[in-house]
Amino acid sequence: MTGFAIPRAIGRGLLDLLLPPRCGGCGVDVSADAALCLDCWRAVTFIAEPMCEVCGVPFEIQPLGAAVCGDCLADPPAFDRARSAVLYDDATRPMILSFKHGDRLTLAPLFAAWMRAAGADLLDTADLIAPVPLHRWRMISRKYNQSAILIRTLAGISGVPVVDSLLVRTRHTPSQGRKTGAQRAANVRGAFALWNNCGGNAEVIEGRRVLLVDDVLTTGATVSACTRVLKRGGARAVDVLTLARVA
Ligand SMILES: [Zn+2]
Ligand SMILES: [Zn+2]
């Protein structure tokens, strides 16, 4: 019983030696309650108005007429609205990758707060949050499911309930990396379905406004495929909220 008790202060010091708090972007030491150093924080490009009111792409200047981008006018997306907190660029890529690989879980509250702010309108009108089924963030191959941690944190601060496994992947899809928009759309076509094994999903989404949440929005092919499944299943509207988006 005795002999191994370490005074609290020393125990804390040892823990600090083992796990010094480090910036989630560049890895420099930061104070215990900071997830990012000031330089990394300043390098983040937050997406703000003016933006396309449909897909959320940022505009260089405030448009005179309807705030809808050319892409959405020419080919309206399946989803109703999409918003992202930050640009996926040289500043945010290392943070997001280190978070996804599980060594910067302290970033979850920060990322969730960014998403809460960027998606305030979407979260305020959402009936439920549906995670995009894992692919890039593969649950099986990781000790922790970072995507689930981030979504739970977002649900906690927004009060919108999460329905896990509302959607499932029906087949393995090759990585979306290095594919064109058309190739990405073909790659994920028919790759998602409602999870009906335990029944009741129709009642869950019938007439509801669903908020799809994912890590990074690229061409929108994945969220569009998920949206079509949700709308076929009776969802009234489908919005999309991601942490980051490719410029
Ligand atoms: Zn840093
Ligand atoms: Zn748009």
Side-chain angles (χ1 to χ4, degrees):
M1 184 74 207
T2 57
F4 294 100
I6 300 168
R8 188 171 274 270
I10 296 176
R12 180 70 228 159
L14 286 173
L15 264 184
D16 283 347
L17 280 176
L18 290 169
L19 298 166
R22 292 186 190 277
C23 169
C26 66
V28 301
D29 290 354
V30 290
S31 65
D33 53 352
L36 290 178
C37 74
L38 203 54
D39 285 345
C40 284
W41 181 285
R42 285 193 180 125
V44 174
T45 303
F46 291 93
I47 297 170
E49 297 282 354
M51 67 176 76
C52 171
E53 62 188 36
V54 178
C55 72
V57 68
F59 291 145
E60 302 262 310
I61 51 163
Q62 184 76 47
L64 292 173
V68 178
C69 75
D71 286 348
C72 289
L73 283 173
D75 186 15
F79 51 78
D80 293 81
R81 298 175 293 181
R83 297 290 181 271
S84 308
V86 300
L87 280 188
Y88 191 65
D89 56 15
D90 291 342
T92 58
R93 193 177 302 110
M95 301 170 194
I96 294 170
L97 290 178
S98 63
F99 175 72
K100 288 180 359 176
H101 291 118
D103 22 319
R104 293 285 186 272
L105 290 178
T106 51
L107 287 167
L110 184 68
F111 286 169
W114 290 354
M115 293 172 79
R116 172 76 186 94
D121 291 349
L122 280 56
L123 285 158
D124 286 350
T125 53
D127 294 308
L128 59 101
I129 290 172
V132 168
L134 291 179
H135 173 58
R136 285 160 292 174
W137 299 21
R138 273 169 222 150
M139 194 180 224
I140 316 152
S141 61
R142 302 205 193 289
K143 206 158 44 161
Y144 302 105
N145 177 3
Q146 283 67 245
S147 173
I149 292 169
L150 179 56
I151 289 173
R152 296 218 164 276
T153 310
L154 178 66
I157 59 174
S158 67
V160 181
V162 183
V163 181
D164 284 320
S165 306
L166 184 61
L167 291 163
V168 290
R169 283 184 188 263
T170 52
R171 59 177 167 81
H172 177 73
T173 50
S175 169
Q176 293 279 69
R178 296 169 198 277
K179 284 187 162 54
T180 66
Q183 286 170 333
R184 282 167 184 259
N187 190 34
V188 294
R189 192 167 294 132
F192 301 98
L194 288 174
W195 188 58
N196 284 317
N197 289 349
C198 65
N201 272 338
E203 292 141 55
V204 169
I205 62 170
E206 184 76 55
R208 302 293 173 87
R209 189 162 196 119
V210 179
L211 182 61
L212 270 172
V213 177
D214 203 1
D215 56 344
V216 180
L217 187 71
T218 308
T219 62
T222 298
V223 291
S224 292
C226 291
T227 296
R228 282 189 278 272
V229 171
L230 290 167
K231 289 196 170 176
R232 273 201 303 272
R236 174 169 56 88
V238 177
D239 294 323
V240 176
L241 179 58
T242 67
L243 172 58
R245 71 176 294 146
V246 174

